[in-house]
Amino acid sequence: MSPPPILLITGAGRGIGAATARRAAAAGWQVAVNYVANEAAAGAVVEDIRRAGGHAAAMQADVSQPEQVAALFDRVARELGPVAGLVNNAGVPGRIGRVEALEPAVLRRTFEVNVYAAFLCAQAFVRRASTKHGGAGGAIVNVSSMASRTGSPGELVHYAAAKAALEAFNYGLASEVATEGIRVNAVACGLIETDIHAEAGDAGRLQRYATRMPMQRAGRPEEVAEAIVWLLSGAASYVTGTVLPVAGGR
Ligand code: NAP
């Protein structure tokens, strides 16, 4: 029997990343559960996966930092084996507010984590997995937002702009590596029940906006995880360069 393929999920200790780690492990992936600060949450995800008979390891790194990304990919290779999947999930919303009130440091951090980190991780992944570099191929999923289309005026324009950049990257990279055994896709999430809304400064936002969705409810992280794990799988073998909305009808 061949060993389970190896998947790195950034920001997998909580929210959508954590749900994806559990779902991917159930689908037969061996999962590197990256986190930046919340070691206990990442540890709990790894414990859940192991208790269910799967394979996982928690790995700390700030994926917006080039040296930490290099060390993270080295650690995955050393402790687990050749990486076959990458989910660029780590994201921060910045603070809710109008553009003219946006702090430069918040703007910078929003792009560093939502865009810059995805570039760094994808670079490291392509260097290892592309058939051009002697790798066996693989799949990348970028976690975007429907905000890239709405622009999120009055609230999160910086975040929406970062996710739009991520989607342009998604399309461009997919074309660049399409003949090298690597597929690159994205999911565009709608309102999903995670800590990110409180982090943006308005936990009540989720319930306020949920009823405006065609399905009139927020989504669960597990519902996004299903789409991500499908895009990673061989079942999506002719799908690349797409952005799949998981947004209750938006
Ligand atoms: P969340 O619950 O706040 O979790 C964010 C995760 O990202 C945490 O595990 C956090 O690590 C990690 N993280 C943050 N900065 C990092 C860094 N520099 N390096 C490594 N990990 C980092 O958020 P979520 O809602 O699940 O969001 C996941 C993705 O979905 C994000 O890209 C977000 O933009 C996108 N999204 C979410 C929604 C929504 O409604 N929830 C909608 C659209 C798009 P620690 O646990 O260590 O802090």
Side-chain angles (χ1 to χ4, degrees):
M1 209 169 74
S2 53
I6 290 143
L7 172 65
L8 169 61
I9 307 176
T10 67
R14 295 183 289 123
I16 293 164
T20 305
R22 292 189 181 95
R23 182 67 191 89
W29 290 89
Q30 188 171 174
V31 188
V33 175
N34 162 251
Y35 66 97
V36 64
N38 195 332
E39 186 178 3
V45 172
V46 168
E47 269 312 300
D48 280 356
I49 290 172
R50 289 184 180 160
R51 252 199 312 273
H55 303 273
M59 298 194 186
Q60 196 278 337
D62 178 343
V63 290
S64 72
Q65 302 301 314
E67 321 72 47
Q68 296 190 36
V69 169
L72 173 64
F73 275 81
D74 285 349
R75 188 173 166 196
V76 170
R78 203 173 50 245
E79 294 183 16
L80 303 178
V83 68
L86 167 68
V87 182
N88 280 319
N89 167 77
V92 292
R95 297 295 290 179
I96 285 176
R98 286 172 54 92
V99 171
E100 72 266 30
L102 184 61
E103 298 280 349
V106 172
L107 174 60
R108 181 187 298 274
R109 192 66 187 147
T110 305
F111 274 78
E112 278 177 355
V113 181
N114 292 292
V115 185
Y116 194 60
F119 267 82
L120 294 175
C121 290
Q123 281 185 315
F125 183 85
V126 170
R127 286 180 195 131
R128 285 169 173 77
S130 165
T131 54
K132 187 173 181 242
H133 299 297
I140 299 175
V141 176
N142 294 305
V143 181
S144 186
S145 169
M146 294 303 283
S148 65
R149 280 153 237 202
T150 66
S152 200
E155 290 199 325
L156 294 167
V157 173
H158 51 291
Y159 172 79
K163 292 300 191 185
L166 180 66
E167 290 184 19
F169 169 67
N170 184 71
Y171 185 65
L173 180 65
S175 302
E176 199 168 293
V177 298
T179 60
E180 298 170 25
I182 299 178
R183 294 179 303 100
V184 184
N185 290 288
V187 290
C189 305
L191 281 173
I192 309 298
E193 291 166 358
T194 72
D195 299 341
I196 205 169
H197 307 282
E199 193 183 327
D202 184 2
R205 175 171 187 272
L206 191 68
Q207 295 316 322
R208 254 193 345 273
Y209 290 161
T211 51
R212 297 187 202 168
M213 300 293 139
M215 289 180 79
Q216 299 198 358
R217 67 170 178 87
R220 288 178 285 107
E222 292 75 18
E223 293 177 302
V224 183
E226 288 290 342
I228 294 173
V229 172
W230 177 73
L231 285 168
L232 289 169
S233 77
S237 56
Y238 199 52
V239 182
T240 198
T242 62
V243 180
L244 174 63
V246 185
R250 274 274 180 265

